Amino acid sequence: MTTQAKNRAPAIFIPHGGGPMPLLNEPSQQAIADFLRQLPGHYERPAAILVISAHWEAPQPTLLAADLPPLLFDYYGFPQETYEYQYPATNPEDIRTRVKECLAQAGLTLDTDTQRGYDHGVFVPLLLMHPQADIPVLQLSLIEGLDPQAHIALGEALSALRDDGVMILGSGFSFHNMSVMRNSNDQARSINHEFHDWLADTLTNPALTPEQRIGKMIDWDQAPGARFSHPREEHLLPLPVCLGAAGGQAGEILFDDTVLGYRTFCVIWRN
């Protein structure tokens, strides 16, 4: 691709909310919705956005390959309007080719999918962040097995895209225990805070080297409250992709608030 950003595009890990609820003025999702609307004020307009969503896993990294992907309404039980959203972003072939080149240079094989559409981990936050759909959007899958080291390596392979002005957007949740999210209690909130205190230190402590930071993220499930916060880690795994794309450098927490009573983060890497 030929378009260059003035500065390196960021890598950002965001909470994408519950289904389409951030778009519905749902009170429990208002903090996320308000934050995502103002998030573009924290970075220059990117040449494109590559999203790694918690809602797509494949045997190996797989990229949407339609030039104009449809939307995949991968939720149920919501008002009819939530199945009528449109997000007509383009998915340019030249940028897809560049993604394939970056992965090939790292020894990774890329699959493509011409049928799948943008899932709600993509279009819900982007309808808030960039509602005009005037920035190209690519979506890349997680890797089945959810190995954090493999996802850090995936992020490292994608890092060069940031020099082309492509923002790496990890879309998930730093806390995702569905069985307790609507049944908040003091003990659960205490465990939630323990995990987020560990996560904040891991991601932002300047005393850690990149190697130490990556090592801690690889062993994330040894952290206090880790498996309580993520009984299954698909909503966390976009985070190590972003960390890998940042070379293990320290990030900055932009959002630290509660959703359904539990603390959750947005983290940005600018360099």
Side-chain angles (χ1 to χ4, degrees):
M1 59 182 292
T2 58
T3 302
Q4 296 289 323
K6 292 181 181 178
N7 296 311
R8 196 173 198 221
I12 311 177
F13 174 76
I14 60 167
H16 59 230
M21 288 192 289
L23 301 173
L24 294 174
N25 297 314
E26 167 68 34
S28 69
Q29 311 284 308
Q30 198 61 52
I32 286 178
D34 290 345
F35 170 72
L36 291 175
R37 288 189 181 99
Q38 59 86 33
L39 179 55
H42 290 275
Y43 54 82
E44 292 188 11
R45 179 184 173 89
I49 301 172
L50 174 63
V51 186
I52 300 92
S53 165
H55 292 279
W56 187 17
E57 301 171 33
Q60 58 187 17
T62 304
L63 193 66
L64 291 190
D67 292 335
L68 291 168
L71 299 192
L72 173 61
F73 298 108
D74 53 339
Y75 44 70
Y76 60 92
F78 290 97
Q80 182 59 35
E81 66 183 273
T82 66
Y83 302 93
E84 297 172 355
Y85 295 136
Q86 298 183 35
Y87 198 79
T90 61
N91 181 31
E93 183 178 4
D94 64 329
I95 310 179
R96 302 198 307 263
T97 299
R98 179 73 177 118
V99 173
K100 182 177 182 179
E101 291 171 351
C102 288
L103 267 61
Q105 289 170 4
L108 300 176
T109 301
L110 181 71
D111 276 349
T112 56
D113 188 323
T114 60
Q115 302 300 314
R116 196 180 192 276
Y118 298 130
D119 62 53
H120 78 270
V122 180
F123 70 80
V124 169
L126 288 181
L127 276 167
L128 294 164
M129 295 165 60
H130 296 286
Q132 301 303 315
D134 55 356
I135 298 174
V137 174
L138 299 88
Q139 183 178 359
L140 183 66
S141 74
L142 295 174
I143 305 167
E144 289 178 358
L146 304 179
D147 176 6
Q149 190 163 8
H151 287 84
I152 287 171
L154 179 61
E156 291 171 343
L158 298 171
S159 180
L161 293 170
R162 298 177 58 202
D163 295 319
D164 297 334
V166 178
M167 184 169 81
I168 309 299
L169 187 67
S171 178
F173 249 118
S174 57
F175 179 81
H176 196 257
N177 184 331
M178 296 295 290
S179 68
V180 303
M181 285 185 85
R182 293 192 178 275
N183 185 28
S184 180
N185 61 72
D186 289 344
Q187 182 181 11
R189 285 193 297 270
S190 177
I191 299 171
N192 162 253
H193 276 278
E194 281 188 311
F195 180 69
H196 279 76
D197 286 344
W198 175 89
L199 197 59
D201 181 71
T202 297
L203 298 175
T204 68
N205 186 345
L208 294 176
T209 66
E211 293 76 17
Q212 289 171 326
R213 192 169 287 108
I214 286 172
K216 285 167 70 73
M217 185 54 61
I218 289 172
D219 293 330
W220 73 272
D221 60 351
Q222 302 303 305
R227 280 298 174 189
F228 177 82
S229 297
H230 292 279
R232 189 176 189 274
E233 57 266 44
E234 79 287 345
H235 274 72
L236 184 68
L237 265 291
L239 176 56
V241 178
C242 292
L243 181 62
Q249 298 297 320
E252 174 190 353
I253 295 174
L254 293 181
F255 175 84
D256 183 351
D257 209 330
T258 57
V259 178
L260 294 170
Y262 292 96
R263 188 176 173 193
T264 192
F265 280 169
C266 167
V267 188
I268 187 170
W269 290 266
R270 304 180 190 274
N271 298 318

Short mmCIF file of all heavy atoms in Angstrom, two decimals, residues 174-218:
data_model
loop_
_atom_site.label_atom_id
_atom_site.label_comp_id
_atom_site.label_asym_id
_atom_site.label_seq_id
_atom_site.Cartn_x
_atom_site.Cartn_y
_atom_site.Cartn_z
N SER A 174 -11.36 -6.98 29.04
CA SER A 174 -10.35 -7.38 30.01
C SER A 174 -10.95 -8.17 31.17
O SER A 174 -10.22 -8.76 31.97
CB SER A 174 -9.57 -6.17 30.53
OG SER A 174 -10.45 -5.21 31.10
N PHE A 175 -12.28 -8.18 31.27
CA PHE A 175 -12.98 -9.05 32.21
C PHE A 175 -14.16 -9.67 31.47
O PHE A 175 -14.97 -8.98 30.88
CB PHE A 175 -13.51 -8.26 33.42
CG PHE A 175 -14.26 -9.13 34.41
CD1 PHE A 175 -13.57 -9.89 35.34
CD2 PHE A 175 -15.64 -9.20 34.40
CE1 PHE A 175 -14.25 -10.70 36.25
CE2 PHE A 175 -16.34 -10.00 35.30
CZ PHE A 175 -15.63 -10.75 36.23
N HIS A 176 -14.25 -11.02 31.49
CA HIS A 176 -15.32 -11.66 30.74
C HIS A 176 -15.72 -12.97 31.41
O HIS A 176 -15.42 -14.06 30.92
CB HIS A 176 -14.89 -11.91 29.29
CG HIS A 176 -16.03 -12.21 28.38
ND1 HIS A 176 -16.33 -13.48 27.93
CD2 HIS A 176 -16.97 -11.39 27.83
CE1 HIS A 176 -17.40 -13.42 27.15
NE2 HIS A 176 -17.81 -12.18 27.07
N ASN A 177 -16.39 -12.83 32.54
CA ASN A 177 -16.97 -13.98 33.23
C ASN A 177 -18.48 -13.79 33.18
O ASN A 177 -19.07 -13.11 34.01
CB ASN A 177 -16.47 -14.06 34.67
CG ASN A 177 -16.98 -15.29 35.40
OD1 ASN A 177 -18.06 -15.80 35.11
ND2 ASN A 177 -16.21 -15.76 36.38
N MET A 178 -19.11 -14.37 32.17
CA MET A 178 -20.54 -14.13 31.93
C MET A 178 -21.41 -14.62 33.08
O MET A 178 -22.49 -14.08 33.32
CB MET A 178 -20.97 -14.80 30.63
CG MET A 178 -20.30 -14.23 29.40
SD MET A 178 -20.75 -12.50 29.10
CE MET A 178 -22.47 -12.69 28.62
N SER A 179 -20.95 -15.63 33.81
CA SER A 179 -21.78 -16.19 34.87
C SER A 179 -21.94 -15.25 36.06
O SER A 179 -22.87 -15.40 36.84
CB SER A 179 -21.22 -17.53 35.34
OG SER A 179 -19.98 -17.35 36.01
N VAL A 180 -21.03 -14.29 36.20
CA VAL A 180 -21.13 -13.36 37.33
C VAL A 180 -21.40 -11.92 36.91
O VAL A 180 -21.66 -11.07 37.76
CB VAL A 180 -19.86 -13.40 38.21
CG1 VAL A 180 -19.61 -14.80 38.70
CG2 VAL A 180 -18.65 -12.84 37.48
N MET A 181 -21.36 -11.63 35.62
CA MET A 181 -21.43 -10.22 35.19
C MET A 181 -22.75 -9.56 35.53
O MET A 181 -22.82 -8.33 35.63
CB MET A 181 -21.10 -10.08 33.70
CG MET A 181 -19.62 -10.24 33.40
SD MET A 181 -19.15 -9.94 31.68
CE MET A 181 -18.95 -8.16 31.69
N ARG A 182 -23.79 -10.32 35.69
CA ARG A 182 -25.08 -9.73 36.09
C ARG A 182 -25.43 -10.09 37.54
O ARG A 182 -26.59 -9.97 37.95
CB ARG A 182 -26.19 -10.17 35.14
CG ARG A 182 -26.01 -9.60 33.74
CD ARG A 182 -27.26 -9.79 32.89
NE ARG A 182 -27.10 -9.20 31.57
CZ ARG A 182 -27.33 -7.92 31.29
NH1 ARG A 182 -27.71 -7.10 32.25
NH2 ARG A 182 -27.17 -7.45 30.07
N ASN A 183 -24.42 -10.51 38.27
CA ASN A 183 -24.65 -10.89 39.67
C ASN A 183 -23.45 -10.44 40.50
O ASN A 183 -22.74 -11.23 41.11
CB ASN A 183 -24.83 -12.41 39.78
CG ASN A 183 -25.20 -12.84 41.19
OD1 ASN A 183 -25.78 -12.09 41.96
ND2 ASN A 183 -24.83 -14.07 41.53
N SER A 184 -23.22 -9.12 40.48
CA SER A 184 -22.05 -8.56 41.13
C SER A 184 -22.12 -8.73 42.65
O SER A 184 -23.17 -8.57 43.25
CB SER A 184 -21.93 -7.08 40.78
OG SER A 184 -20.82 -6.50 41.38
N ASN A 185 -20.98 -9.07 43.25
CA ASN A 185 -20.89 -9.14 44.71
C ASN A 185 -19.49 -8.72 45.13
O ASN A 185 -18.57 -8.63 44.31
CB ASN A 185 -21.23 -10.54 45.22
CG ASN A 185 -20.28 -11.60 44.69
OD1 ASN A 185 -19.12 -11.65 45.10
ND2 ASN A 185 -20.77 -12.45 43.78
N ASP A 186 -19.33 -8.46 46.42
CA ASP A 186 -18.07 -7.88 46.90
C ASP A 186 -16.88 -8.79 46.63
O ASP A 186 -15.80 -8.33 46.23
CB ASP A 186 -18.17 -7.60 48.40
CG ASP A 186 -19.09 -6.42 48.72
OD1 ASP A 186 -19.40 -5.65 47.79
OD2 ASP A 186 -19.51 -6.29 49.88
N GLN A 187 -17.05 -10.09 46.84
CA GLN A 187 -15.93 -11.01 46.63
C GLN A 187 -15.53 -11.04 45.16
O GLN A 187 -14.33 -11.00 44.83
CB GLN A 187 -16.29 -12.41 47.11
CG GLN A 187 -15.13 -13.41 46.95
CD GLN A 187 -15.50 -14.81 47.40
OE1 GLN A 187 -16.67 -15.10 47.64
NE2 GLN A 187 -14.51 -15.68 47.52
N ALA A 188 -16.52 -11.10 44.28
CA ALA A 188 -16.23 -11.13 42.84
C ALA A 188 -15.55 -9.85 42.40
O ALA A 188 -14.59 -9.87 41.61
CB ALA A 188 -17.52 -11.36 42.06
N ARG A 189 -16.04 -8.71 42.90
CA ARG A 189 -15.42 -7.44 42.52
C ARG A 189 -13.99 -7.35 43.04
O ARG A 189 -13.11 -6.80 42.37
CB ARG A 189 -16.26 -6.27 43.05
CG ARG A 189 -17.54 -6.04 42.27
CD ARG A 189 -18.17 -4.70 42.61
NE ARG A 189 -18.56 -4.64 44.01
CZ ARG A 189 -19.74 -5.01 44.47
NH1 ARG A 189 -20.67 -5.48 43.63
NH2 ARG A 189 -20.03 -4.91 45.75
N SER A 190 -13.73 -7.91 44.22
CA SER A 190 -12.38 -7.90 44.76
C SER A 190 -11.42 -8.70 43.88
O SER A 190 -10.30 -8.27 43.60
CB SER A 190 -12.39 -8.46 46.18
OG SER A 190 -11.09 -8.53 46.71
N ILE A 191 -11.87 -9.86 43.41
CA ILE A 191 -11.04 -10.68 42.52
C ILE A 191 -10.82 -9.96 41.20
O ILE A 191 -9.71 -9.94 40.64
CB ILE A 191 -11.68 -12.06 42.31
CG1 ILE A 191 -11.79 -12.80 43.64
CG2 ILE A 191 -10.86 -12.88 41.31
CD1 ILE A 191 -12.60 -14.08 43.55
N ASN A 192 -11.88 -9.35 40.68
CA ASN A 192 -11.80 -8.57 39.45
C ASN A 192 -10.74 -7.47 39.58
O ASN A 192 -9.92 -7.24 38.67
CB ASN A 192 -13.18 -7.98 39.16
CG ASN A 192 -13.18 -6.83 38.18
OD1 ASN A 192 -13.39 -5.68 38.60
ND2 ASN A 192 -12.97 -7.09 36.92
N HIS A 193 -10.71 -6.78 40.71
CA HIS A 193 -9.73 -5.71 40.92
C HIS A 193 -8.32 -6.27 41.04
O HIS A 193 -7.35 -5.66 40.54
CB HIS A 193 -10.09 -4.89 42.16
CG HIS A 193 -11.10 -3.82 41.88
ND1 HIS A 193 -10.76 -2.60 41.35
CD2 HIS A 193 -12.44 -3.80 42.04
CE1 HIS A 193 -11.85 -1.86 41.21
NE2 HIS A 193 -12.88 -2.57 41.62
N GLU A 194 -8.17 -7.42 41.69
CA GLU A 194 -6.85 -8.04 41.79
C GLU A 194 -6.27 -8.31 40.41
O GLU A 194 -5.09 -8.02 40.15
CB GLU A 194 -6.93 -9.36 42.57
CG GLU A 194 -7.00 -9.24 44.06
CD GLU A 194 -6.89 -10.59 44.72
OE1 GLU A 194 -7.61 -11.53 44.31
OE2 GLU A 194 -6.08 -10.73 45.65
N PHE A 195 -7.09 -8.88 39.53
CA PHE A 195 -6.61 -9.18 38.19
C PHE A 195 -6.27 -7.90 37.43
O PHE A 195 -5.23 -7.82 36.76
CB PHE A 195 -7.65 -10.00 37.41
CG PHE A 195 -7.22 -10.33 36.00
CD1 PHE A 195 -6.18 -11.23 35.78
CD2 PHE A 195 -7.83 -9.74 34.91
CE1 PHE A 195 -5.77 -11.53 34.49
CE2 PHE A 195 -7.43 -10.04 33.62
CZ PHE A 195 -6.39 -10.93 33.41
N HIS A 196 -7.09 -6.89 37.55
CA HIS A 196 -6.83 -5.65 36.82
C HIS A 196 -5.65 -4.88 37.39
O HIS A 196 -4.94 -4.19 36.64
CB HIS A 196 -8.10 -4.80 36.73
CG HIS A 196 -9.01 -5.26 35.65
ND1 HIS A 196 -9.79 -6.39 35.77
CD2 HIS A 196 -9.23 -4.79 34.40
CE1 HIS A 196 -10.46 -6.58 34.65
NE2 HIS A 196 -10.13 -5.62 33.79
N ASP A 197 -5.41 -4.98 38.68
CA ASP A 197 -4.20 -4.38 39.24
C ASP A 197 -2.96 -5.06 38.64
O ASP A 197 -1.98 -4.39 38.28
CB ASP A 197 -4.18 -4.52 40.76
CG ASP A 197 -5.16 -3.58 41.46
OD1 ASP A 197 -5.64 -2.62 40.82
OD2 ASP A 197 -5.44 -3.82 42.65
N TRP A 198 -3.02 -6.39 38.55
CA TRP A 198 -1.90 -7.12 37.92
C TRP A 198 -1.76 -6.73 36.45
O TRP A 198 -0.64 -6.48 35.97
CB TRP A 198 -2.16 -8.63 38.03
CG TRP A 198 -1.12 -9.46 37.31
CD1 TRP A 198 0.06 -9.92 37.80
CD2 TRP A 198 -1.19 -9.89 35.93
NE1 TRP A 198 0.74 -10.62 36.83
CE2 TRP A 198 0.00 -10.60 35.68
CE3 TRP A 198 -2.12 -9.72 34.91
CZ2 TRP A 198 0.27 -11.17 34.43
CZ3 TRP A 198 -1.84 -10.27 33.66
CH2 TRP A 198 -0.67 -11.00 33.43
N LEU A 199 -2.88 -6.64 35.75
CA LEU A 199 -2.85 -6.32 34.33
C LEU A 199 -2.31 -4.91 34.11
O LEU A 199 -1.50 -4.68 33.20
CB LEU A 199 -4.26 -6.46 33.75
CG LEU A 199 -4.40 -6.55 32.23
CD1 LEU A 199 -3.64 -7.75 31.68
CD2 LEU A 199 -5.88 -6.64 31.85
N ALA A 200 -2.74 -3.97 34.93
CA ALA A 200 -2.26 -2.59 34.79
C ALA A 200 -0.75 -2.53 35.00
O ALA A 200 -0.02 -1.85 34.24
CB ALA A 200 -2.97 -1.68 35.79
N ASP A 201 -0.25 -3.23 36.00
CA ASP A 201 1.19 -3.24 36.24
C ASP A 201 1.93 -3.89 35.08
O ASP A 201 2.96 -3.39 34.61
CB ASP A 201 1.50 -3.96 37.55
CG ASP A 201 2.99 -3.97 37.86
OD1 ASP A 201 3.53 -2.90 38.21
OD2 ASP A 201 3.62 -5.04 37.74
N THR A 202 1.42 -5.01 34.62
CA THR A 202 2.06 -5.73 33.51
C THR A 202 2.15 -4.86 32.27
O THR A 202 3.18 -4.82 31.58
CB THR A 202 1.29 -7.02 33.20
OG1 THR A 202 1.35 -7.88 34.33
CG2 THR A 202 1.86 -7.74 31.98
N LEU A 203 1.10 -4.14 31.95
CA LEU A 203 1.02 -3.41 30.69
C LEU A 203 1.66 -2.04 30.73
O LEU A 203 2.04 -1.50 29.68
CB LEU A 203 -0.44 -3.28 30.25
CG LEU A 203 -1.17 -4.60 29.98
CD1 LEU A 203 -2.63 -4.34 29.66
CD2 LEU A 203 -0.50 -5.36 28.83
N THR A 204 1.76 -1.42 31.91
CA THR A 204 2.18 -0.02 31.96
C THR A 204 3.43 0.24 32.79
O THR A 204 3.98 1.35 32.72
CB THR A 204 1.05 0.87 32.51
OG1 THR A 204 0.83 0.57 33.90
CG2 THR A 204 -0.24 0.67 31.74
N ASN A 205 3.90 -0.70 33.58
CA ASN A 205 5.03 -0.46 34.48
C ASN A 205 6.31 -0.24 33.67
O ASN A 205 6.81 -1.17 33.02
CB ASN A 205 5.21 -1.65 35.42
CG ASN A 205 6.27 -1.40 36.47
OD1 ASN A 205 7.08 -0.49 36.36
ND2 ASN A 205 6.28 -2.24 37.50
N PRO A 206 6.88 0.97 33.70
CA PRO A 206 8.08 1.24 32.89
C PRO A 206 9.31 0.50 33.38
O PRO A 206 10.31 0.42 32.65
CB PRO A 206 8.25 2.75 33.02
CG PRO A 206 7.61 3.11 34.32
CD PRO A 206 6.46 2.17 34.47
N ALA A 207 9.26 -0.04 34.59
CA ALA A 207 10.41 -0.79 35.11
C ALA A 207 10.55 -2.16 34.47
O ALA A 207 11.63 -2.77 34.54
CB ALA A 207 10.30 -0.94 36.63
N LEU A 208 9.49 -2.65 33.84
CA LEU A 208 9.55 -3.95 33.18
C LEU A 208 10.20 -3.81 31.81
O LEU A 208 9.94 -2.84 31.08
CB LEU A 208 8.15 -4.53 33.01
CG LEU A 208 7.39 -4.92 34.27
CD1 LEU A 208 5.99 -5.38 33.91
CD2 LEU A 208 8.13 -6.01 35.05
N THR A 209 11.02 -4.78 31.43
CA THR A 209 11.54 -4.81 30.07
C THR A 209 10.47 -5.39 29.14
O THR A 209 9.53 -6.07 29.60
CB THR A 209 12.79 -5.70 29.99
OG1 THR A 209 12.40 -7.06 30.26
CG2 THR A 209 13.84 -5.26 30.98
N PRO A 210 10.57 -5.16 27.84
CA PRO A 210 9.62 -5.79 26.93
C PRO A 210 9.57 -7.31 27.09
O PRO A 210 8.49 -7.91 27.02
CB PRO A 210 10.14 -5.38 25.55
CG PRO A 210 10.80 -4.06 25.78
CD PRO A 210 11.45 -4.21 27.13
N GLU A 211 10.71 -7.92 27.32
CA GLU A 211 10.75 -9.38 27.48
C GLU A 211 10.01 -9.81 28.73
O GLU A 211 9.29 -10.82 28.73
CB GLU A 211 12.20 -9.86 27.53
CG GLU A 211 12.98 -9.69 26.23
CD GLU A 211 13.42 -8.25 25.98
OE1 GLU A 211 13.41 -7.43 26.94
OE2 GLU A 211 13.77 -7.94 24.82
N GLN A 212 10.17 -9.05 29.81
CA GLN A 212 9.45 -9.36 31.04
C GLN A 212 7.94 -9.18 30.85
O GLN A 212 7.14 -10.00 31.32
CB GLN A 212 9.95 -8.46 32.17
CG GLN A 212 11.34 -8.79 32.66
CD GLN A 212 11.87 -7.75 33.64
OE1 GLN A 212 11.58 -6.56 33.53
NE2 GLN A 212 12.65 -8.20 34.61
N ARG A 213 7.57 -8.12 30.16
CA ARG A 213 6.15 -7.83 29.96
C ARG A 213 5.51 -8.94 29.12
O ARG A 213 4.42 -9.43 29.44
CB ARG A 213 6.00 -6.47 29.28
CG ARG A 213 4.60 -5.91 29.26
CD ARG A 213 4.59 -4.45 28.81
NE ARG A 213 5.13 -3.59 29.86
CZ ARG A 213 6.30 -2.98 29.81
NH1 ARG A 213 7.07 -3.11 28.74
NH2 ARG A 213 6.71 -2.24 30.81
N ILE A 214 6.19 -9.34 28.07
CA ILE A 214 5.67 -10.41 27.21
C ILE A 214 5.62 -11.73 27.99
O ILE A 214 4.64 -12.49 27.90
CB ILE A 214 6.53 -10.54 25.95
CG1 ILE A 214 6.23 -9.37 25.00
CG2 ILE A 214 6.29 -11.88 25.25
CD1 ILE A 214 7.14 -9.28 23.80
N GLY A 215 6.64 -12.00 28.79
CA GLY A 215 6.64 -13.22 29.59
C GLY A 215 5.48 -13.28 30.56
O GLY A 215 4.85 -14.34 30.73
N LYS A 216 5.18 -12.16 31.20
CA LYS A 216 4.04 -12.13 32.12
C LYS A 216 2.73 -12.35 31.37
O LYS A 216 1.84 -13.05 31.87
CB LYS A 216 4.02 -10.78 32.86
CG LYS A 216 5.08 -10.67 33.95
CD LYS A 216 5.25 -9.24 34.43
CE LYS A 216 4.06 -8.73 35.22
NZ LYS A 216 3.99 -9.33 36.57
N MET A 217 2.60 -11.79 30.16
CA MET A 217 1.37 -11.97 29.41
C MET A 217 1.22 -13.40 28.90
O MET A 217 0.12 -13.95 28.86
CB MET A 217 1.30 -10.97 28.25
CG MET A 217 -0.01 -11.00 27.49
SD MET A 217 -1.49 -10.78 28.52
CE MET A 217 -1.19 -9.16 29.21
N ILE A 218 2.33 -14.03 28.56
CA ILE A 218 2.26 -15.44 28.16
C ILE A 218 1.74 -16.29 29.31
O ILE A 218 0.95 -17.23 29.10
CB ILE A 218 3.65 -15.93 27.69
CG1 ILE A 218 4.00 -15.30 26.33
CG2 ILE A 218 3.69 -17.46 27.60
CD1 ILE A 218 5.42 -15.56 25.88
#
